[in-house]
Amino acid sequence: MNLELRQLRYFVAVAEELHFGKAADRLHMTQPPLSQAIHALEDMLGSPLFVRNRRAVTLAPAGEALLPEARRMLAQAAEIPGLVSRAAGGESGRLSLAFVSSADYSVLPPFLRNYRAAYPQVQIVLQEATSDIQVDDLLRERIDAGLIIPPLPEKALPLLDYLKVLDEPLVLAAPVGLDALCSPGPVWLKDLPRMPLIIFPRPIAPALHDAILAVFRAAGITPEVGQEAIQMQTIVSLVSAGMGLALVPQSVSNLMRPGVEYRALHDPTPLVETGLAWRSDNASPVLQGFLDLLRKNIKTC
């Protein structure tokens, strides 16, 4: 059955006017071809849609049933150009975005609010993942973009683009009640009690892992690694449990947990960078809109 939208428009016009002449005028056509088109539609559907007599035209039961569906189908068809236009302009569609846990306490929430306000019809699919998993997912085209802690591995450099989003210092996360924390303000690592260090596994985040150990080495301290954890929430929870101390990106201090105190350090600390990575060959309009807005947000920060 090759039902055409033109036939449905003819049917709805006659059903609403209940007069072939008036319907033909509304459709800017003559009555004979309109009558022929309705007869052809009835033959195709195998049932009369109208009851015709010399006095009036009324809807047959089949016509009564068809009318709301025909209106719905025509309304949906009318929306297609706008739908296509929005998709081509990145205003609708789907964006899959991954992020490291530290981004959840810094750049991610405010940017998602701005993006949702600018592109309310885009479906955003979020997943938390470490940088190494995100890079693998990008290379396998499983996600559109990822907020990662650089650097990108050598194998990914020819295939991925990268944009720095945030620089932030490392701060101390320590159990509440340490004597070295009795006075407010920044602290020196050398003044802290020797406690196990809770840190990311190096294969997961080599740059962050090495940066943290370098801070201790510069202070003349060789820390004992007590626990390794791949999520910031887990690291902070272990600190809360008194199992050690940690150095975390400053934004993680927004994660308030009982039993944890955050302090700035007098010791020089490197800046921890967070940025967005995506495939260079991803021409998705939704992704391009996301990138354009992200660049504008970075410039205004």
Side-chain angles (χ1 to χ4, degrees):
M1 182 182 295
N2 297 318
L3 185 61
E4 300 178 6
L5 291 176
R6 172 183 58 86
Q7 294 171 298
L8 292 179
R9 282 195 294 271
Y10 291 174
F11 164 73
V12 169
V14 177
E16 291 178 347
E17 299 292 343
L18 293 178
H19 191 286
F20 277 84
K22 292 179 181 179
D25 289 341
R26 171 173 153 181
L27 294 166
H28 306 291
M29 63 189 299
T30 59
Q31 182 173 335
L34 174 60
S35 298
Q36 293 171 7
I38 294 298
H39 279 298
L41 178 61
E42 290 174 322
D43 290 342
M44 179 189 300
L45 297 176
S47 177
L49 301 174
F50 297 98
V51 177
R52 306 161 177 85
N53 57 48
R54 293 182 180 180
R55 293 183 178 181
V57 175
T58 58
L59 280 168
E64 293 276 6
L66 177 60
L67 182 56
E69 293 302 313
R71 285 171 171 158
R72 180 183 60 81
M73 294 170 69
L74 290 173
Q76 289 178 336
E79 293 176 359
I80 289 175
L83 183 151
V84 172
S85 177
R86 290 191 297 272
E91 297 176 16
S92 67
R94 181 180 182 274
L95 178 75
S96 56
L97 176 66
F99 58 95
V100 291
S101 57
S102 57
D104 197 21
Y105 307 106
S106 56
V107 295
L108 186 63
F111 181 68
L112 285 180
R113 283 195 295 270
N114 292 339
Y115 184 74
R116 173 60 66 195
Y119 297 95
Q121 296 187 50
V122 173
Q123 177 192 6
I124 306 172
V125 180
L126 296 171
Q127 65 182 76
E128 184 178 334
T130 55
S131 298
D132 58 326
I133 291 176
Q134 290 188 52
V135 168
D136 186 59
D137 284 346
L138 285 167
L139 295 177
R140 295 174 182 269
E141 303 184 59
R142 292 171 177 164
I143 59 174
D144 294 309
L147 283 164
I148 68 168
I149 296 175
L152 292 170
E154 290 290 331
K155 67 176 183 178
L157 293 177
L159 298 172
L160 301 184
D161 283 337
Y162 176 81
L163 175 66
K164 183 172 79 172
V165 175
L166 174 70
D167 273 332
E168 57 182 331
L170 291 167
V171 299
L172 172 71
V176 169
L178 298 183
D179 290 341
L181 304 181
C182 289
S183 299
V187 297
W188 292 97
L189 285 178
K190 63 181 177 60
D191 293 334
L192 296 172
R194 295 296 181 262
M195 298 184 69
L197 177 64
I198 304 168
I199 193 171
F200 275 97
R202 192 177 188 281
I204 298 297
L208 181 57
H209 182 100
D210 292 347
I212 291 171
L213 293 184
V215 174
F216 281 91
R217 284 196 298 269
I221 300 170
T222 302
E224 172 197 352
V225 176
Q227 296 286 334
E228 293 185 336
I230 65 173
Q231 302 294 343
M232 287 295 177
Q233 302 95 314
T234 306
I235 290 175
V236 173
S237 292
L238 292 172
V239 172
S240 174
M243 298 189 67
L245 51 80
L247 297 187
V248 298
Q250 185 179 52
S251 58
V252 177
S253 62
N254 293 320
L255 174 57
M256 304 306 296
R257 287 282 173 83
V260 177
E261 187 168 352
Y262 298 98
R263 288 290 187 90
L265 293 170
H266 283 302
D267 304 82
T269 63
L271 293 177
V272 178
E273 182 177 317
T274 302
L276 188 80
W278 67 95
R279 286 187 64 95
S280 305
D281 61 357
N282 188 340
S284 162
V286 171
L287 176 61
Q288 296 309 310
F290 181 85
L291 294 173
D292 290 344
L293 187 60
L294 179 60
R295 292 186 179 106
K296 292 177 183 175
N297 274 252
I298 293 173
K299 289 180 181 178
T300 56
C301 288

